Amino acid sequence: MKYYPKNYLMRSISVLFLVFIIILTEGCAGITDESNSSDSSDEKSQKLTVSYNEGINSLDPYGTSGGEEATILAASQIYDTLTELDEGEFKPSVAKEWEQPDKNTWVFKLRDDVTFHDGSSLTAKDVKASLDKLLEGNSPLDVLWNTLDSVEATDEHTLTIKTTKPLGTMLSNLSLLYIAPADKIDDEDFFQHPIGSGPFQVESFSPEQELKLSGYEDYWGGAPKLHELEFKNIPETQSRMTSLETGEINAAWTIPNDQISELQESSDIVVKSIPSYVFYFNWFNSSRKPFDDTKVRQAMWHAIDNEAIVNELFGDSGERAKAPIPSTAFGYSEQEPYDYDPELAKELLADAGYPDGFETSMMWSEGGGPQIRELAETMISYWEEIGVKVEPIVLERAEWIDKLNALDWDMNLQTNAVKTGDADYTLGRLYTSEANRNGYKNEKLDKILNGAKESTDLDEREELYAKANKIIWEDAVGIFPVELNQVFGVRENIKGFKTSPSASIDLSEVSIE
């Protein structure tokens, strides 16, 4: 073994250490230069993770989940529509223009530069196939099209829609018709990894857990600034707020009232609150006793102190509802609130043959809305005071949807949104005898709502909806306790985040600083 003097070893170690420092410094300089270049920085930073208050159950906009807020939120990123709602007006999207040769005919001219995520061109045949798919399935939106006569792809970029009667809600309806490729839409597993033409394309999807998307560079509206977009379901409210505060997620909505003040104290989070299309209702199944009796339904209204409930639970995040649709929607007409009067409630029950009350149940879904459990439990406690015992039934979202559509419930508590901003979406879709969504049937109401759907005169439509609001309210088809503000929590480094009265947020312009 060779022996090296101590001073030689020390000099050698010093030289080696100096070389190491130089290499490390040069390497770090290289890394710093690269990370400061705009391209690399953008590439590393442009991932957005968000959490809505409901998990995404399905990516199928034509099936039973087609009316779900979470499904529409996802569909708005993945698919395109012919028209879009922008600040209360319907504007061109894939359809660049349209005309009405006569009152029952609409002709739409489509853009010729729209491609699906697989590179194939979007044509009028794809739009026709998408509408056919919606009408063939069990979509809760198919009633919007009950006057449809025919759909024809006149040529590659021209679509002609004919109706049996005038359809004043045509542009509104088309803002919710999501377009998928005709040659793939019927594939058995298509909606596990669907293809659209929207700003984001699907990378992976786990129902009720997460949806991972990537930006579509060839999007006709311009490539989104985000490279990755993830929707993460965090069912427990406090965990969701903690994830927002720590930066695990970049944005969350809807924020419940009891979490707003804490988020406002954070310098890293911007809290935005706007009036929304979202509201709560508790439907009665009018096809089942005892809710087939109007007096019973009215008694349930008078039994609760709705004003106190709204003030205590929702505060600045909501206000007492005064119609079966929120005040932000076209067709809203204010009604006289039901007074809190337990004695009157008992009298109405006695008149209906239930002097000692009765037993029933209320169902809602996990994550079905901000403070939904607290709202349900409070209402149940009020009803107990008049002798009505209510069994709470909390279901996973998929099971809840199945029972809701099958009318397999006594009372159903949920949020809803007038997604198009037009009363027809809620009143015309949910309260006609044909729709049969809650067991309530009224021929007079049918005539009014169908008349409003067919009219293209806005004043006439408003007048008809005023009549419809009054009937639904006075017949107590449901209890409409509160209309909600849409409250967003967004980290301060997120730019271009556009709020919306509904949960359908356009994230194509979002960037991260």
Side-chain angles (χ1 to χ4, degrees):
M1 178 181 293
K2 292 185 179 180
Y3 173 78
Y4 295 97
K6 182 177 180 181
N7 60 347
Y8 176 84
L9 287 172
M10 294 301 296
R11 285 197 304 271
S12 299
I13 292 171
S14 298
V15 170
L16 288 171
F17 182 76
L18 180 61
V19 171
F20 174 77
I21 292 297
I22 292 172
I23 293 172
L24 180 62
T25 302
E26 289 180 348
C28 289
I31 293 172
T32 302
D33 290 341
E34 182 182 353
S35 65
N36 284 337
S37 68
S38 59
D39 289 344
S40 176
S41 177
D42 287 347
E43 188 70 35
K44 291 186 177 183
S45 66
Q46 299 304 296
K47 176 183 178 180
L48 185 78
T49 304
V50 302
S51 182
Y52 180 47
N53 67 285
E54 295 178 11
I56 299 170
N57 177 59
S58 172
L59 302 182
D60 179 2
Y62 316 110
T64 56
S65 296
E68 289 287 292
E69 280 284 276
T71 294
I72 290 178
L73 170 62
S76 300
Q77 320 306 321
I78 301 166
Y79 310 99
D80 273 318
T81 56
L82 289 187
T83 64
E84 63 180 4
L85 181 63
D86 183 13
E87 297 182 353
E89 294 184 14
F90 293 101
K91 297 183 178 180
S93 183
V94 169
K96 60 182 181 181
E97 60 185 15
W98 51 81
E99 62 178 357
Q100 270 192 279
D102 60 65
K103 62 182 182 179
N104 290 347
T105 304
W106 293 74
V107 179
F108 295 88
K109 294 291 185 180
L110 278 56
R111 301 177 63 98
D112 60 6
D113 58 350
V114 182
T115 59
F116 288 112
H117 300 149
D118 63 357
S120 61
S121 295
L122 185 153
T123 70
K125 288 183 179 179
D126 300 305
V127 184
K128 171 179 166 50
S130 299
L131 182 50
D132 288 343
K133 183 72 172 179
L134 186 148
L135 297 175
E136 290 169 2
N138 297 312
S139 171
L141 305 184
D142 60 2
V143 70
L144 298 175
W145 297 94
N146 61 355
T147 63
L148 185 68
D149 184 22
S150 65
V151 183
E152 181 184 357
T154 315
D155 61 40
E156 195 171 45
H157 296 107
T158 305
L159 185 80
T160 301
I161 300 178
K162 292 182 179 291
T163 57
T164 57
K165 299 177 181 178
L167 186 58
T169 57
M170 177 64 76
L171 300 181
S172 169
N173 293 354
L174 289 174
S175 71
L176 288 176
L177 177 63
Y178 295 99
I179 306 167
D183 62 344
K184 295 182 174 64
I185 198 170
D186 290 322
D187 292 353
E188 183 177 353
D189 298 326
F190 177 75
F191 293 107
Q192 289 301 311
H193 199 288
I195 294 170
S197 61
F200 296 95
Q201 54 192 347
V202 177
E203 293 297 327
S204 65
F205 174 52
S206 298
E208 298 287 353
Q209 296 182 43
E210 65 180 14
L211 169 64
K212 293 185 177 181
L213 307 174
S214 62
Y216 180 44
E217 293 185 0
D218 294 327
Y219 180 55
W220 63 269
K225 298 176 181 178
L226 295 172
H227 297 89
E228 297 177 61
L229 172 59
E230 179 178 356
F231 292 87
K232 180 177 291 188
N233 184 25
I234 307 175
E236 205 278 313
T237 299
Q238 188 57 57
S239 297
R240 194 155 58 99
M241 298 304 100
T242 300
S243 296
L244 179 61
E245 292 185 77
T246 60
E248 179 185 343
I249 60 175
N250 306 108
W253 67 100
T254 298
I255 309 297
N257 181 61
D258 59 357
Q259 301 293 323
I260 294 175
S261 59
E262 182 177 341
L263 291 182
Q264 287 175 329
E265 294 175 0
S266 172
S267 60
D268 296 326
I269 298 171
V270 177
V271 177
K272 304 178 181 182
S273 179
I274 63 169
S276 80
Y277 295 145
V278 183
F279 64 105
Y280 264 111
F281 63 64
N282 177 64
W283 266 347
F284 303 111
N285 188 341
S286 295
S287 66
R288 286 185 178 180
K289 290 184 177 299
F291 299 125
D292 58 342
D293 192 318
T294 304
K295 290 181 179 180
V296 172
R297 302 193 300 263
Q298 292 171 337
M300 299 292 277
W301 246 125
H302 284 295
I304 66 172
D305 188 344
N306 194 51
E307 185 173 7
I309 290 174
V310 172
N311 289 338
E312 291 173 14
L313 286 183
F314 297 98
D316 294 336
S317 68
E319 61 182 71
R320 187 177 184 181
K322 296 179 181 178
I325 55 174
S327 56
T328 49
F330 172 81
Y332 169 84
S333 175
E334 184 174 320
Q335 306 300 309
E336 184 67 30
Y338 280 73
D339 293 329
Y340 172 49
D341 191 337
E343 292 306 313
L344 175 57
K346 291 177 182 178
E347 290 176 15
L348 288 167
L349 287 182
D351 289 346
Y354 301 96
D356 300 321
F358 56 87
E359 295 184 4
T360 187
S361 64
M362 170 195 272
M363 79 168 189
W364 68 90
S365 73
E366 295 178 346
Q371 295 166 280
I372 190 169
R373 181 180 290 275
E374 295 90 335
L375 176 58
E377 291 174 348
T378 303
M379 295 172 78
I380 288 172
S381 67
Y382 274 111
W383 288 325
E384 190 169 5
E385 294 178 8
I386 63 167
V388 177
K389 296 181 179 180
V390 180
E391 177 191 2
I393 301 175
V394 187
L395 303 172
E396 292 185 355
R397 196 72 179 173
E399 184 180 2
W400 174 82
I401 292 171
D402 289 342
K403 284 185 172 290
L404 176 66
N405 292 333
L407 276 177
D408 184 15
W409 46 273
D410 296 324
M411 292 190 293
N412 171 66
L413 180 66
Q414 69 175 88
T415 56
N416 191 265
V418 187
K419 296 177 181 65
T420 62
D422 190 298
D424 179 69
Y425 179 83
T426 295
L427 301 186
R429 184 174 67 92
L430 301 179
Y431 293 94
T432 61
S433 299
E434 179 186 3
N436 194 27
R437 297 302 305 278
N438 47 43
Y440 176 81
K441 296 185 179 183
N442 185 323
E443 290 183 3
K444 181 180 178 181
L445 180 62
D446 292 344
K447 185 175 181 180
I448 290 170
L449 291 175
N450 287 331
K453 181 191 295 287
E454 294 166 13
S455 176
T456 56
D457 185 307
L458 293 183
D459 291 337
E460 180 183 15
R461 296 186 74 225
E462 277 194 309
E463 184 178 335
L464 290 169
Y465 284 132
K467 294 178 180 178
N469 278 292
K470 185 177 178 65
I471 291 172
I472 295 168
W473 189 266
E474 292 183 351
D475 274 4
V477 181
I479 291 176
F480 306 91
V482 59
E483 56 180 78
L484 299 171
N485 288 333
Q486 191 70 277
V487 184
F488 304 82
V490 183
R491 294 193 64 81
E492 56 86 25
N493 64 327
I494 306 302
K495 306 303 177 185
F497 191 100
K498 299 178 182 178
T499 58
S500 169
S502 74
S504 303
I505 311 300
D506 177 8
L507 297 170
S508 62
E509 295 297 320
V510 172
S511 61
I512 304 173
E513 290 188 350

mmCIF file of all heavy atoms in Angstrom, residues 389-412:
data_model
loop_
_atom_site.group_PDB
_atom_site.id
_atom_site.type_symbol
_atom_site.label_atom_id
_atom_site.label_comp_id
_atom_site.label_asym_id
_atom_site.label_seq_id
_atom_site.Cartn_x
_atom_site.Cartn_y
_atom_site.Cartn_z
ATOM 1 N N LYS A 389 -92.459 12.084 11.650
ATOM 2 C CA LYS A 389 -91.158 11.484 11.891
ATOM 3 C C LYS A 389 -90.517 11.107 10.555
ATOM 4 O O LYS A 389 -91.118 10.377 9.762
ATOM 5 C CB LYS A 389 -91.304 10.250 12.777
ATOM 6 C CG LYS A 389 -91.823 10.577 14.178
ATOM 7 C CD LYS A 389 -91.931 9.319 15.040
ATOM 8 C CE LYS A 389 -92.436 9.676 16.434
ATOM 9 N NZ LYS A 389 -92.564 8.472 17.302
ATOM 10 N N VAL A 390 -89.329 11.614 10.335
ATOM 11 C CA VAL A 390 -88.667 11.447 9.043
ATOM 12 C C VAL A 390 -87.384 10.639 9.197
ATOM 13 O O VAL A 390 -86.496 11.011 9.973
ATOM 14 C CB VAL A 390 -88.352 12.817 8.408
ATOM 15 C CG1 VAL A 390 -87.669 12.631 7.051
ATOM 16 C CG2 VAL A 390 -89.625 13.644 8.253
ATOM 17 N N GLU A 391 -87.293 9.564 8.443
ATOM 18 C CA GLU A 391 -86.069 8.770 8.426
ATOM 19 C C GLU A 391 -85.090 9.360 7.411
ATOM 20 O O GLU A 391 -85.417 9.498 6.226
ATOM 21 C CB GLU A 391 -86.380 7.326 8.025
ATOM 22 C CG GLU A 391 -85.136 6.460 7.906
ATOM 23 C CD GLU A 391 -85.404 5.115 7.247
ATOM 24 O OE1 GLU A 391 -86.569 4.866 6.836
ATOM 25 O OE2 GLU A 391 -84.459 4.319 7.111
ATOM 26 N N PRO A 392 -83.881 9.722 7.845
ATOM 27 C CA PRO A 392 -82.883 10.238 6.896
ATOM 28 C C PRO A 392 -82.228 9.100 6.123
ATOM 29 O O PRO A 392 -81.839 8.088 6.722
ATOM 30 C CB PRO A 392 -81.875 10.951 7.792
ATOM 31 C CG PRO A 392 -81.976 10.247 9.107
ATOM 32 C CD PRO A 392 -83.400 9.765 9.241
ATOM 33 N N ILE A 393 -82.112 9.241 4.813
ATOM 34 C CA ILE A 393 -81.472 8.226 3.977
ATOM 35 C C ILE A 393 -80.389 8.910 3.144
ATOM 36 O O ILE A 393 -80.687 9.706 2.248
ATOM 37 C CB ILE A 393 -82.492 7.535 3.044
ATOM 38 C CG1 ILE A 393 -83.594 6.860 3.868
ATOM 39 C CG2 ILE A 393 -81.799 6.530 2.143
ATOM 40 C CD1 ILE A 393 -84.700 6.251 3.021
ATOM 41 N N VAL A 394 -79.133 8.620 3.441
ATOM 42 C CA VAL A 394 -77.997 9.219 2.746
ATOM 43 C C VAL A 394 -77.398 8.171 1.810
ATOM 44 O O VAL A 394 -77.034 7.085 2.251
ATOM 45 C CB VAL A 394 -76.927 9.725 3.736
ATOM 46 C CG1 VAL A 394 -75.844 10.497 2.988
ATOM 47 C CG2 VAL A 394 -77.555 10.583 4.821
ATOM 48 N N LEU A 395 -77.302 8.502 0.523
ATOM 49 C CA LEU A 395 -76.875 7.538 -0.488
ATOM 50 C C LEU A 395 -75.647 8.029 -1.248
ATOM 51 O O LEU A 395 -75.412 9.237 -1.363
ATOM 52 C CB LEU A 395 -78.014 7.306 -1.495
ATOM 53 C CG LEU A 395 -79.355 6.823 -0.920
ATOM 54 C CD1 LEU A 395 -80.418 6.839 -2.010
ATOM 55 C CD2 LEU A 395 -79.209 5.429 -0.336
ATOM 56 N N GLU A 396 -74.886 7.079 -1.784
ATOM 57 C CA GLU A 396 -73.838 7.446 -2.729
ATOM 58 C C GLU A 396 -74.498 8.007 -3.983
ATOM 59 O O GLU A 396 -75.630 7.657 -4.321
ATOM 60 C CB GLU A 396 -72.973 6.240 -3.069
ATOM 61 C CG GLU A 396 -72.132 5.756 -1.907
ATOM 62 C CD GLU A 396 -71.201 4.629 -2.301
ATOM 63 O OE1 GLU A 396 -71.286 4.172 -3.465
ATOM 64 O OE2 GLU A 396 -70.390 4.208 -1.451
ATOM 65 N N ARG A 397 -73.766 8.841 -4.694
ATOM 66 C CA ARG A 397 -74.361 9.598 -5.792
ATOM 67 C C ARG A 397 -75.029 8.710 -6.840
ATOM 68 O O ARG A 397 -76.140 8.979 -7.281
ATOM 69 C CB ARG A 397 -73.284 10.462 -6.460
ATOM 70 C CG ARG A 397 -73.832 11.565 -7.357
ATOM 71 C CD ARG A 397 -74.457 12.650 -6.547
ATOM 72 N NE ARG A 397 -74.972 13.731 -7.383
ATOM 73 C CZ ARG A 397 -75.685 14.747 -6.906
ATOM 74 N NH1 ARG A 397 -75.948 14.822 -5.616
ATOM 75 N NH2 ARG A 397 -76.134 15.695 -7.707
ATOM 76 N N ALA A 398 -74.355 7.648 -7.259
ATOM 77 C CA ALA A 398 -74.896 6.795 -8.320
ATOM 78 C C ALA A 398 -76.206 6.147 -7.892
ATOM 79 O O ALA A 398 -77.171 6.096 -8.668
ATOM 80 C CB ALA A 398 -73.874 5.735 -8.711
ATOM 81 N N GLU A 399 -76.264 5.648 -6.662
ATOM 82 C CA GLU A 399 -77.495 5.018 -6.170
ATOM 83 C C GLU A 399 -78.602 6.049 -6.028
ATOM 84 O O GLU A 399 -79.772 5.777 -6.326
ATOM 85 C CB GLU A 399 -77.237 4.323 -4.835
ATOM 86 C CG GLU A 399 -78.449 3.561 -4.310
ATOM 87 C CD GLU A 399 -78.192 2.882 -2.979
ATOM 88 O OE1 GLU A 399 -77.076 3.024 -2.442
ATOM 89 O OE2 GLU A 399 -79.126 2.211 -2.473
ATOM 90 N N TRP A 400 -78.229 7.234 -5.562
ATOM 91 C CA TRP A 400 -79.208 8.318 -5.412
ATOM 92 C C TRP A 400 -79.829 8.676 -6.771
ATOM 93 O O TRP A 400 -81.050 8.863 -6.874
ATOM 94 C CB TRP A 400 -78.535 9.541 -4.794
ATOM 95 C CG TRP A 400 -79.410 10.749 -4.728
ATOM 96 C CD1 TRP A 400 -80.349 11.045 -3.781
ATOM 97 C CD2 TRP A 400 -79.438 11.835 -5.665
ATOM 98 N NE1 TRP A 400 -80.962 12.246 -4.077
ATOM 99 C CE2 TRP A 400 -80.419 12.743 -5.227
ATOM 100 C CE3 TRP A 400 -78.725 12.109 -6.835
ATOM 101 C CZ2 TRP A 400 -80.701 13.923 -5.916
ATOM 102 C CZ3 TRP A 400 -79.005 13.277 -7.515
ATOM 103 C CH2 TRP A 400 -79.979 14.169 -7.057
ATOM 104 N N ILE A 401 -79.025 8.757 -7.816
ATOM 105 C CA ILE A 401 -79.537 9.085 -9.150
ATOM 106 C C ILE A 401 -80.528 8.018 -9.618
ATOM 107 O O ILE A 401 -81.598 8.334 -10.148
ATOM 108 C CB ILE A 401 -78.375 9.227 -10.159
ATOM 109 C CG1 ILE A 401 -77.538 10.466 -9.834
ATOM 110 C CG2 ILE A 401 -78.910 9.321 -11.590
ATOM 111 C CD1 ILE A 401 -76.266 10.565 -10.641
ATOM 112 N N ASP A 402 -80.170 6.759 -9.405
ATOM 113 C CA ASP A 402 -81.056 5.669 -9.824
ATOM 114 C C ASP A 402 -82.407 5.752 -9.110
ATOM 115 O O ASP A 402 -83.464 5.612 -9.737
ATOM 116 C CB ASP A 402 -80.407 4.308 -9.538
ATOM 117 C CG ASP A 402 -79.240 4.012 -10.474
ATOM 118 O OD1 ASP A 402 -79.161 4.668 -11.537
ATOM 119 O OD2 ASP A 402 -78.425 3.139 -10.143
ATOM 120 N N LYS A 403 -82.388 5.969 -7.818
ATOM 121 C CA LYS A 403 -83.639 6.057 -7.057
ATOM 122 C C LYS A 403 -84.428 7.301 -7.436
ATOM 123 O O LYS A 403 -85.668 7.273 -7.518
ATOM 124 C CB LYS A 403 -83.334 6.046 -5.552
ATOM 125 C CG LYS A 403 -82.981 4.676 -5.012
ATOM 126 C CD LYS A 403 -82.812 4.719 -3.509
ATOM 127 C CE LYS A 403 -82.649 3.313 -2.936
ATOM 128 N NZ LYS A 403 -83.910 2.537 -3.022
ATOM 129 N N LEU A 404 -83.728 8.406 -7.665
ATOM 130 C CA LEU A 404 -84.403 9.648 -8.058
ATOM 131 C C LEU A 404 -85.174 9.447 -9.359
ATOM 132 O O LEU A 404 -86.362 9.786 -9.455
ATOM 133 C CB LEU A 404 -83.378 10.766 -8.225
ATOM 134 C CG LEU A 404 -83.912 12.112 -8.737
ATOM 135 C CD1 LEU A 404 -84.851 12.742 -7.717
ATOM 136 C CD2 LEU A 404 -82.760 13.061 -9.069
ATOM 137 N N ASN A 405 -84.510 8.895 -10.351
ATOM 138 C CA ASN A 405 -85.142 8.713 -11.656
ATOM 139 C C ASN A 405 -86.263 7.678 -11.626
ATOM 140 O O ASN A 405 -87.199 7.754 -12.432
ATOM 141 C CB ASN A 405 -84.091 8.310 -12.695
ATOM 142 C CG ASN A 405 -83.122 9.435 -12.997
ATOM 143 O OD1 ASN A 405 -83.447 10.604 -12.857
ATOM 144 N ND2 ASN A 405 -81.912 9.093 -13.403
ATOM 145 N N ALA A 406 -86.184 6.732 -10.692
ATOM 146 C CA ALA A 406 -87.205 5.684 -10.592
ATOM 147 C C ALA A 406 -88.369 6.097 -9.691
ATOM 148 O O ALA A 406 -89.289 5.310 -9.470
ATOM 149 C CB ALA A 406 -86.571 4.392 -10.073
ATOM 150 N N LEU A 407 -88.327 7.324 -9.159
ATOM 151 C CA LEU A 407 -89.337 7.804 -8.208
ATOM 152 C C LEU A 407 -89.443 6.883 -6.993
ATOM 153 O O LEU A 407 -90.513 6.707 -6.423
ATOM 154 C CB LEU A 407 -90.714 7.945 -8.883
ATOM 155 C CG LEU A 407 -90.986 9.250 -9.635
ATOM 156 C CD1 LEU A 407 -92.357 9.213 -10.297
ATOM 157 C CD2 LEU A 407 -90.883 10.446 -8.703
ATOM 158 N N ASP A 408 -88.302 6.351 -6.581
ATOM 159 C CA ASP A 408 -88.250 5.424 -5.459
ATOM 160 C C ASP A 408 -87.843 6.193 -4.196
ATOM 161 O O ASP A 408 -86.756 5.994 -3.643
ATOM 162 C CB ASP A 408 -87.269 4.290 -5.767
ATOM 163 C CG ASP A 408 -87.240 3.234 -4.680
ATOM 164 O OD1 ASP A 408 -88.169 3.220 -3.843
ATOM 165 O OD2 ASP A 408 -86.289 2.429 -4.665
ATOM 166 N N TRP A 409 -88.694 7.098 -3.747
ATOM 167 C CA TRP A 409 -88.402 7.935 -2.588
ATOM 168 C C TRP A 409 -89.687 8.618 -2.111
ATOM 169 O O TRP A 409 -90.663 8.701 -2.850
ATOM 170 C CB TRP A 409 -87.342 8.980 -2.934
ATOM 171 C CG TRP A 409 -87.580 9.702 -4.236
ATOM 172 C CD1 TRP A 409 -87.169 9.298 -5.474
ATOM 173 C CD2 TRP A 409 -88.316 10.921 -4.447
ATOM 174 N NE1 TRP A 409 -87.586 10.185 -6.445
ATOM 175 C CE2 TRP A 409 -88.293 11.204 -5.837
ATOM 176 C CE3 TRP A 409 -88.966 11.811 -3.607
ATOM 177 C CZ2 TRP A 409 -88.908 12.315 -6.396
ATOM 178 C CZ3 TRP A 409 -89.581 12.936 -4.162
ATOM 179 C CH2 TRP A 409 -89.539 13.175 -5.542
ATOM 180 N N ASP A 410 -89.659 9.107 -0.872
ATOM 181 C CA ASP A 410 -90.776 9.880 -0.318
ATOM 182 C C ASP A 410 -90.515 11.372 -0.476
ATOM 183 O O ASP A 410 -91.318 12.101 -1.047
ATOM 184 C CB ASP A 410 -90.976 9.550 1.163
ATOM 185 C CG ASP A 410 -91.374 8.101 1.385
ATOM 186 O OD1 ASP A 410 -92.122 7.561 0.538
ATOM 187 O OD2 ASP A 410 -90.943 7.505 2.387
ATOM 188 N N MET A 411 -89.381 11.807 0.092
ATOM 189 C CA MET A 411 -88.926 13.187 -0.104
ATOM 190 C C MET A 411 -87.488 13.135 -0.596
ATOM 191 O O MET A 411 -86.723 12.246 -0.217
ATOM 192 C CB MET A 411 -89.002 13.987 1.202
ATOM 193 C CG MET A 411 -90.407 14.247 1.706
ATOM 194 S SD MET A 411 -90.439 15.441 3.085
ATOM 195 C CE MET A 411 -89.602 14.510 4.372
ATOM 196 N N ASN A 412 -87.131 14.101 -1.421
ATOM 197 C CA ASN A 412 -85.784 14.154 -1.989
ATOM 198 C C ASN A 412 -85.233 15.563 -1.845
ATOM 199 O O ASN A 412 -85.818 16.524 -2.339
ATOM 200 C CB ASN A 412 -85.801 13.769 -3.468
ATOM 201 C CG ASN A 412 -84.458 14.032 -4.129
ATOM 202 O OD1 ASN A 412 -83.474 13.395 -3.795
ATOM 203 N ND2 ASN A 412 -84.417 14.999 -5.035
#
